[in-house]
Amino acid sequence: MCRSKKTNQDIFLLQLHVFWGEECRMEAVHTEGILMAETLQQMTSSYEKFWLVVTHIGDPKAAFLLVFPFTYFISRPAGVTVVWVAAISEWLNLVFKWMLFGERPFWWIGESGLFVNKQPNVRQFSSTCETGPGSPSGHAMVTAAVWWIVVSSLGSYLYSRTRSMLLSAAPFLLYVVLLVAVGISRIFILAHFPHQVIAGSITGFILGVILSRTAPERRPLLFFFSFSIGLLLSALMLHTGLQQLGIDLSWSIHLAKKWCSHGEWIRLDTAPFSSLTRDCGALLGLGLAQYWKPGGWSLPWAPRALSLAISSMGLYHVNRLPLPVRPQGLFYGLFFVKFVIVPQIVIVLVPGLVHLFTNKKKKD
């Protein structure tokens, strides 16, 4: 069967048609996303504080500062896995965002030019103005990956104790509810479009299932050091390579600064390189903590609860430590060190002090 010969002009017109067809489809998807956000803000305005709390729970850094200590003092292997999965999934999310160039609703409204005559009745919040690209949602992706570790461990524990399929399935139901709530919160505050949340949730779930089988518990320090440096260098090489191809990876930062309704809502800790230094720092910190205390501290339940409370307070204050934003290299360096410290507090320092105090009290 013969095919008609296409000229260069025919090929160009065909490519142009495909490009504009894709543009129109994405424009329709984005428009529907804005309308959904508008509806959510109008119908659930009384739940504004709730959505803001949920979006903070879904923040990738919450995996290190909240989920990790909570999980570690219940099950040490699960806690180590949480750090591993959180770091790898957030690093992959950064790579995906650099490759997919996803828009964010709060700047797309102005950039699209579709709402000149009639602006949507939406507003921004202090958590809205993130500076990285929008696709896929990092909140949804990291939450789905990390909480899969928690609910699967809890589900297995419940089944081993009760042999009840119904009871062991309850954590997985809560998992779905959490993902839906985090996704809605991100749409509500204009940080993401619905399709970005769905993509992040599905990808995160797959990563949680796969990465949970590769947790590097009790690996040598050299493994963590090499892995941390490898992630850092590979991301920097990808960034440099894309820039050499003429791709401006700071485009999202410029748009965020342009369309954020409050300049003070632009924070350097939401920039792409902040997530990179957080992940690499946490992995190196995990290696150091397991090097100092390979088997962890063996504590009864009461001292574990005390360790959890003290660790949570310690991490709260570490997270609140102000860092200089200029020069940016110093900020990223100190941000890296901050998350190296996190596993030391949870795995080594606080449990060690509690162990020392409780043993001394028993002797007295």
Side-chain angles (χ1 to χ4, degrees), residues 236-314:
L236 293 176
M237 288 173 62
L238 175 62
H239 186 274
T240 303
L242 291 174
Q243 283 189 322
Q244 290 297 317
L245 293 174
I247 299 173
D248 180 16
L249 292 177
S250 63
W251 67 274
S252 61
I253 299 175
H254 299 320
L255 291 180
K257 291 180 177 178
K258 179 180 178 181
W259 293 106
C260 185
S261 59
H262 292 73
E264 65 272 17
W265 290 351
I266 298 289
R267 304 188 313 276
L268 196 55
D269 63 353
T270 69
F273 279 111
S274 293
S275 63
L276 176 62
T277 52
R278 171 167 56 230
D279 301 332
C280 296
L283 283 178
L284 179 58
L286 181 61
L288 285 170
Q290 294 191 97
Y291 174 77
W292 303 129
K293 193 64 182 175
W297 294 97
S298 180
L299 297 174
W301 280 108
R304 283 195 209 180
L306 178 60
S307 297
L308 173 59
I310 298 174
S311 296
S312 299
M313 289 188 291

Side-chain angles (χ1 to χ4, degrees), residues 68-91:
F68 164 50
F70 171 78
T71 309
Y72 180 81
F73 289 112
I74 295 176
S75 169
R76 183 172 53 83
V80 171
T81 306
V82 162
V83 177
W84 171 253
V85 171
I88 302 301
S89 58
E90 189 178 25
W91 182 87

Side-chain angles (χ1 to χ4, degrees), residues 91-103:
W91 182 87
L92 285 171
N93 180 260
L94 172 63
V95 172
F96 291 155
K97 284 181 174 179
W98 278 346
M99 302 295 290
L100 296 177
F101 306 97
E103 306 279 357

Side-chain angles (χ1 to χ4, degrees), residues 9 168 191:
Q9 184 179 359
S168 61

